Amino acid sequence: MASLMQSRLPINQDLMLMQKGMLMRKVRSKCWKKLRYFRLQDDGMTVWHARQEGGNAKPTFSISDVETVREGHESELLRSLAEEFPLERGFTIIFHGRRANLDLVANSVEEAEVWKRGLWHLMDFVNGMDQQERLDQWLSDWFQRGDKNQDGRMSFQEVQRLLHLMNVEMDQEYAFHLFQTADTSHSGTLEGEEFVDFYKALTKRAEVQELFENFSADGQKLTLLEFVDFLREEQKEGERAPDLALELIDRYEPSESGKLRHVLSMDGFLSYLCSKDGDIFKPTCLPIYQDMTQPLNNYYINSSHNTYLVGDQLYGQSSVEGYIRALKRGCRCVEVDIWDGPSGEPIVYHGHTLTSRIPFKDVVATVAQYAFQTSEYPVILSLENHCSWEQQQVMACHLTEILGEQLLSTTLDGLLPTQLPSPEELRRKILVKGKKLRTLEEDLEEEEEEELESELEGEQEADPEPEAQLESEPQELSPRSKDKKKEKKSKPILCPSLSALVVYLKSVSFHSFTHSREHYRFYETSSFSETKAKSLIKEAGNEFVQHNAWQLSRVYPSGLRTDSSNYNPQELWNAGCQMVAMNVQTAGLEMDICDGLFRQNGGCGYVLKPDFLRDAQSSFHPERPVSPFRAQTLLIQVISGQQLPKEDMSKERSIVDPLVRVEIFGVRPDTTRQETSYVENNGFNPYWGQTLCFRVLVPELALLRFVVKDYNWKSRNDFIGQYTLPWTCMQQGYRHIHLLSKDGTSLHPASIFVHINIREGLEGDEC
C-alpha cells in the first residue's frame, strides 16, 4: 500500500533520513522532557514513535493533521528552556483544530533542519493532492493500522481486524469471497493495488448507481443532455446548467475519451457528487461575496472571550498560542485582560485566579504577526485594563511601537465621522476598544488646537518681539485650560496616551436603550453579560434590534462558566448583537454554530447582518418574528452514510449504530430538530432513506447542523461527526455533507449523502 503514495511522492535526502528514524526529545513542560525515537513510515505520510530504536512503535500523527511547523524561537515552551537546549535544535509541530502542539528538540541543528524541511515538503505535497490522492492516503493510513506485523501484506485475519476498525460488520464468508477476488496474485495476502480493489468492492454505492441509471438511457454513461437534465431538475442549477455540465465533465470524468465525447461515466458521476461542486455548501458563498463597504455595526464580527486562555478560567494556561489560534481561525475581536506586572511590565491573565501569566508586549507582538494571515479585515483589541497609570503608559508605548502602521490611532481622514467606517476602509488595521477620557470630538478639537499652536510657535520664532510681549502680559486662562491644569495636578485613572489610542470603539456603561439614544454616540460601544443580554431580548427585543442597528454591542459569557463552556450565540445574533464573544478553545455545539456562521464570506470574520437587523426603525422582534412572506419549507431526504469513524477508536470490537440528527438554529419558533432511526452495526455504508421536513419563518437567520450519532440508549447517543452551515448557503439537490470532528477538523472521507428541496412559503402537507 505504501508504494501507492511513494510512486507519487518525490523522495529526497531529508525524507530518506526521516524514514531511517531519529532520536529526539519530546517536551511537554519544563519538567517533562523524554527521549523518543521518531520515524517517518514507508508510506511517507505518517510518523510513528517508539521509546527507543526498534521498540514497539505506535502512530504519532499523519502529515494531513499538520497545519504548520514553527522554529524553536517561536515556541513559548522551548524559549523557557533556552538555557538547557539551543533554540536552533528545537521546532514545534502545529496541528489542525485544538490538538496540543508537539515540541521537539533534535540532537543537532542539522537533524532539526532535516525534519523541518522534510515536513514542509510533505505538507506542500498533501496540500496539492486531489480527491483521489487524498483517498489513497486515507487507505494507506488504514493499511498501516491493519498490517499488524508491518510486512507490507495483509492476511485475511488482519483484514478481519481492519474491518472492525473501519466500522464494517460483514458476513465472514462474504468477506472471504471479496478477499479472494482481490487477491489476484494468489498469495493468500493483499498488497497495495489488491487492497485498493478490495476497498472498492466494499464501497460500491448502490444508491448512486440507481440515481445514475434514472438519468442514463443505456445505464453506462450520461450524455451531455442527460447530465444537463440532472443538473437542471435535481440540482436546481437553472440557466447555468449547460455550461456547468461541460465544466464538470471536463473536471471529473476520468477517461480522456469521455471528456472528448462530453459524456460522464459512473466513476465521473460519483467523483462529481463527492467533490466541492457536489457539496451542500454553495461555492458562491465560499469567497468574500458580501458588500464589505457598510459601517462596522452592520456586521456580525467573529469574537473571542479571554483569548489568552487555552484551558479553564481558574487554573488554565495563559498563552500567546490562544491568540495565534483565534486569529488563524478568523477571529477579528480578541480580548486582553491586563494587570500590573513585575519590573514595570504589564501582564495578561485572568485576574484573581491561578491562571498563568504572559507579558502584554508578547501578546501585542503576536497580534502584530498573526492579525492578517487569515483575513485582511480589521482586528479589534478589546482591552480589559486593570493597570496603574504608570503601566498604562507602558501599554500605550508597546501598542504604538510594536503595531506601528497597523495601529489605528486617529480617524481615517482626521475629520469627525458621521458613522463607523467599513471593514473595507479598515483593511489591515488594528483598532483598540476600551475606555476613553473624552469624546472623539474633543480629541480632534485638541489635535486642531495643537496644530494651530505649533503653527503660531513657528511664526513667533520668526518674529521674536510679539513673543516677548506675550511673556510680559500674562493672559487669563480659559476654563478649558484650567481643567487641563487640574488634570496634570491630579492624575486621572486612565492614562491619556492610552486613552488617545481608542478611536472608534469607546467602551461605555449601558443603562437603558433610552439613555444610550439620548447620551451616547455611534462610536461608543457597550458590553453585556450573556444573562443581561438575554433578559433584554425578552423584555425589549425590538429596542435591542434598533440599538444594534446604530451602535456596536459586545456580549461575553457568564462569569460562572469557569470551565470555559459556551452559550448559544444564535439568540444574540437574532437581536443583531455584533461581537458575541466565545471561548474558542472549547469545542462543542455552540462553537459549531459559531464556525457555521463564519464559514461563509471567505472565512474573513465579518458577515453582513440581514437587512431587517440593519434598520434603525426596524419592527423586527427576535422573540416574536412576523415575516411569513419570507418563510420557507425544507425537505431533507437523508439517504446514506460513508466511512463513518468510531467515536472511540479503542473499542475495536464495537461497530457503530449510526443515526442522523438535523438541527435548526434560528429565531425561537424555528429552533427545532428531527432525526432518523438508527442503522444497526454499520458505520461503513449505512442506508436510511428517510425524509425530514422543516418549516422556517426567518431563513435569513437560520443555521443547519447535521450531526451523526452512534445510538446508545445509556449515554443518549455518542457523537461521531457534524457539519454546520447557514441556511442561505445551502445548495439544493443530491449533495454530500463532509463531516467534521468535535474539533472542527476534517473526518475525510466520512460523509452523509442527502437530497435537499427548498420551497417558498409554508405550503404543502409534507410536514
Side-chain angles (χ1 to χ4, degrees):
M1 186 66 214
S3 61
L4 280 177
M5 292 311 300
Q6 284 177 321
S7 63
R8 296 194 181 104
L9 179 64
I11 297 290
N12 60 27
Q13 186 67 30
D14 292 331
L15 299 190
M16 287 166 70
L17 288 169
M18 288 167 72
Q19 285 178 334
K20 282 184 182 176
M22 283 184 199
L23 203 59
M24 291 189 279
R25 207 167 247 98
K26 180 180 176 180
V27 183
R28 281 188 185 159
S29 68
K30 284 186 175 183
C31 306
W32 200 101
K33 306 176 285 280
K34 297 192 177 177
L35 284 169
R36 294 287 182 265
Y37 190 78
F38 288 88
R39 179 179 175 272
L40 177 69
Q41 296 300 99
D42 293 340
D43 65 352
M45 288 287 114
T46 48
V47 173
W48 289 40
H49 77 275
R51 290 179 183 271
Q52 59 200 28
E53 187 175 356
N56 189 25
K58 57 183 178 180
T60 311
F61 62 88
S62 170
I63 300 301
S64 58
D65 297 336
V66 180
E67 183 187 306
T68 190
V69 179
R70 290 197 206 130
E71 304 281 350
H73 65 85
E74 294 179 277
S75 163
E76 282 176 289
L77 179 55
L78 294 180
R79 279 203 307 270
S80 72
L81 296 167
E83 291 181 13
E84 199 174 336
F85 306 111
L87 288 173
E88 295 78 14
R89 280 168 42 196
F91 60 97
T92 307
I93 299 171
I94 313 296
F95 299 101
H96 294 292
R98 294 173 178 82
R99 181 172 170 180
N101 298 346
L102 177 59
D103 286 290
L104 297 172
V105 179
N107 287 323
S108 68
V109 174
E110 292 72 28
E111 288 186 359
E113 289 299 319
V114 164
W115 275 83
K116 284 188 288 185
R117 283 194 307 261
L119 288 169
W120 278 112
H121 179 67
L122 291 170
M123 284 158 55
D124 285 343
F125 176 75
V126 166
N127 291 334
M129 286 196 302
D130 60 26
Q131 205 168 294
Q132 186 56 50
E133 287 170 329
R134 286 181 72 203
L135 185 60
D136 286 348
Q137 188 211 332
W138 181 79
L139 282 174
S140 176
D141 285 350
W142 277 113
F143 190 91
Q144 293 275 335
R145 287 190 211 178
D147 185 11
K148 199 78 171 166
N149 61 3
Q150 295 291 294
D151 65 352
R153 300 166 177 270
M154 269 235 232
S155 66
F156 183 62
Q157 192 177 359
E158 286 176 316
V159 164
Q160 281 182 299
R161 176 180 170 271
L162 182 62
L163 289 178
H164 277 285
L165 284 173
M166 295 175 86
N167 259 329
V168 183
E169 179 77 12
M170 188 178 284
D171 174 74
Q172 188 168 336
E173 200 174 311
Y174 180 59
F176 188 61
H177 166 70
L178 292 181
F179 179 89
Q180 285 186 311
T181 306
D183 179 19
T184 51
S185 62
H186 306 296
S187 63
T189 59
L190 299 182
E191 296 181 56
E193 289 291 352
E194 292 175 334
F195 181 72
V196 173
D197 290 339
F198 176 73
Y199 170 80
K200 280 182 178 174
L202 280 178
T203 54
K204 277 192 173 164
R205 299 275 301 273
E207 77 281 19
V208 176
Q209 184 72 44
E210 186 182 340
L211 177 61
F212 180 80
E213 288 171 1
N214 285 346
F215 282 84
S216 167
D218 63 2
Q220 301 299 309
K221 65 184 181 303
L222 287 175
T223 64
L224 182 59
L225 288 177
E226 287 168 345
F227 191 35
V228 167
D229 284 345
F230 172 76
L231 293 175
R232 207 175 257 149
E233 292 170 28
E234 296 296 345
Q235 309 299 78
K236 309 296 182 195
E237 296 290 2
E239 295 299 314
R240 65 192 287 258
D243 291 338
L244 183 63
L246 285 167
E247 273 179 48
L248 296 175
I249 289 171
D250 194 51
R251 201 172 295 156
Y252 299 112
E253 174 51 42
S255 79
E256 288 303 318
S257 63
K259 286 180 185 178
L260 288 170
R261 292 183 296 131
H262 301 313
V263 298
L264 197 62
S265 64
M266 173 60 194
D267 283 348
F269 183 63
L270 181 57
S271 188
Y272 151 65
L273 287 176
C274 293
S275 74
K276 282 186 178 177
D277 291 295
D279 193 271
I280 191 169
F281 202 98
K282 272 184 194 169
T284 51
C285 289
L286 286 170
I288 292 168
Y289 71 99
Q290 295 181 331
D291 177 8
M292 301 305 288
T293 63
Q294 299 194 27
L296 278 184
N297 48 285
N298 282 353
Y299 297 85
Y300 296 121
I301 302 171
N302 194 343
S303 302
S304 165
H305 174 62
N306 288 354
T307 315
Y308 47 89
L309 288 178
V310 291
D312 67 50
Q313 314 277 315
L314 295 178
Y315 306 97
Q317 183 192 356
S318 301
S319 169
V320 295
E321 196 63 44
Y323 290 93
I324 296 170
R325 290 180 182 183
L327 291 166
K328 292 197 85 170
R329 68 185 296 139
C331 278
R332 298 289 86 192
C333 176
V334 295
E335 187 180 19
V336 196
D337 278 6
I338 316 110
W339 301 77
D340 279 0
S343 310
E345 279 293 338
I347 53 172
V348 174
Y349 82 110
H350 200 207
H352 312 301
T353 67
L354 297 174
T355 59
S356 58
R357 295 146 165 76
I358 44 175
F360 174 69
K361 64 181 176 185
D362 287 1
V363 170
V364 179
T366 300
V367 171
Q369 183 178 354
Y370 289 94
F372 305 111
Q373 286 192 8
T374 297
S375 166
E376 294 210 330
Y377 290 113
V379 166
I380 297 165
L381 287 182
S382 183
L383 301 187
E384 291 296 323
N385 171 19
H386 306 278
C387 288
S388 62
W389 203 90
E390 288 73 20
Q391 293 212 9
Q392 287 179 44
Q393 280 189 308
V394 177
M395 284 169 58
C397 187
H398 287 328
L399 287 165
T400 307
E401 290 181 3
I402 297 171
L403 297 180
E405 289 295 308
Q406 291 180 322
L407 180 67
L408 186 103
S409 53
T410 186
T411 56
L412 288 171
D413 53 9
L415 303 174
L416 186 66
T418 55
Q419 62 178 22
L420 287 173
S422 69
E424 190 60 44
E425 290 173 299
L426 293 168
R427 264 179 184 269
R428 298 192 73 83
K429 285 292 177 189
I430 296 170
L431 283 67
V432 175
K433 173 187 166 294
K435 290 188 170 63
K436 192 171 175 65
L437 286 169
R438 302 177 308 188
T439 65
L440 191 52
E441 288 85 340
E442 287 170 327
D443 269 5
L444 291 169
E445 199 179 308
E446 184 175 271
E447 281 177 27
E448 283 179 24
E449 282 179 9
E450 285 174 356
E451 282 177 25
L452 189 62
E453 279 173 20
S454 65
E455 283 174 23
L456 283 170
E457 280 170 15
E459 288 172 16
Q460 285 159 10
E461 281 170 18
D463 182 4
E465 285 176 16
E467 188 180 344
Q469 190 181 4
L470 281 168
E471 281 176 7
S472 62
E473 294 177 23
Q475 301 294 308
E476 180 66 29
L477 285 171
S478 69
R480 190 155 171 191
S481 301
K482 284 178 184 172
D483 288 344
K484 280 186 197 165
K485 284 212 162 184
K486 277 183 191 172
E487 274 179 25
K488 284 179 185 173
K489 281 179 187 173
S490 58
K491 281 182 184 176
I493 297 169
L494 187 60
C495 163
S497 59
L498 184 60
S499 168
L501 298 181
V502 177
V503 182
Y504 294 115
L505 297 162
K506 178 184 177 182
S507 296
V508 291
S509 299
F510 177 81
H511 302 287
S512 71
F513 293 124
T514 303
H515 179 272
S516 294
R517 275 196 308 274
E518 291 175 356
H519 296 93
Y520 290 157
R521 296 162 173 82
F522 63 86
Y523 58 79
E524 292 173 318
T525 173
S526 298
S527 289
F528 306 84
S529 71
E530 61 172 288
T531 313
K532 178 67 174 173
K534 286 175 183 177
S535 69
L536 284 171
I537 291 170
K538 286 186 174 66
E539 294 161 15
N542 177 244
E543 280 189 90
F544 211 169
V545 166
Q546 292 182 355
H547 173 86
N548 289 325
W550 69 277
Q551 197 176 59
L552 283 166
S553 290
R554 180 176 183 270
V555 183
Y556 57 90
S558 158
L560 299 174
R561 295 183 181 274
T562 55
D563 59 351
S564 292
S565 60
N566 280 305
Y567 47 61
N568 181 351
Q570 183 68 51
E571 51 192 307
L572 303 156
W573 293 332
N574 291 344
C577 297
Q578 298 90 345
M579 295 181 282
V580 180
M582 306 290 287
N583 288 310
V584 299
Q585 73 269 36
T586 307
L589 163 67
E590 296 81 10
M591 272 312 299
D592 292 345
I593 294 170
C594 186
D595 291 342
L597 178 75
F598 290 106
R599 187 160 280 127
Q600 64 184 309
N601 209 33
C604 75
Y606 286 84
V607 168
L608 191 63
K609 297 195 291 185
D611 54 2
F612 53 83
L613 293 181
R614 308 196 305 261
D615 177 5
Q617 277 78 48
S618 176
S619 60
F620 182 77
H621 194 301
E623 294 289 293
R624 298 185 293 278
V626 182
S627 60
F629 57 93
R630 287 178 172 164
Q632 292 180 333
T633 299
L634 168 67
L635 291 167
I636 300 176
Q637 186 191 10
V638 181
I639 303 169
S640 62
Q642 294 76 45
Q643 289 90 59
L644 304 177
K646 289 186 184 212
E647 185 266 334
D648 183 354
M649 283 304 293
S650 65
K651 299 176 185 173
E652 278 195 22
R653 291 289 162 198
S654 169
I655 306 290
V656 300
D657 305 323
L659 61 86
V660 177
R661 180 184 294 161
V662 180
E663 302 169 336
I664 296 194
F665 298 93
V667 294
R668 198 174 299 280
D670 291 344
T671 301
T672 186
R673 69 187 195 190
Q674 294 178 41
E675 64 187 34
T676 66
S677 55
Y678 67 91
V679 174
E680 200 169 345
N681 281 345
N682 188 348
F684 198 71
N685 54 359
Y687 182 85
W688 294 281
Q690 290 176 249
T691 299
L692 310 177
C693 182
F694 301 90
R695 287 174 172 166
V696 175
L697 289 172
V698 191
E700 299 94 327
L701 288 173
L703 287 156
L704 279 90
R705 182 173 183 254
F706 294 85
V707 58
V708 181
K709 298 261 188 177
D710 178 9
Y711 174 75
N712 185 331
W713 66 272
K714 288 181 187 173
S715 63
R716 291 188 176 180
N717 306 333
D718 298 317
F719 176 91
I720 292 175
Q722 65 83 31
Y723 188 80
T724 309
L725 78 162
W727 180 290
T728 51
C729 294
M730 181 168 49
Q731 294 206 92
Q732 296 192 67
Y734 287 96
R735 303 291 172 186
H736 277 91
I737 298 164
H738 298 278
L739 296 175
L740 304 175
S741 69
K742 271 183 185 165
D743 244 1
T745 56
S746 171
L747 288 174
H748 177 83
S751 64
I752 50 176
F753 186 45
V754 299
H755 183 267
I756 304 285
N757 186 10
I758 300 173
R759 298 178 185 175
E760 296 301 319
L762 303 176
E763 300 297 321
D765 303 320
E766 296 89 349
C767 293

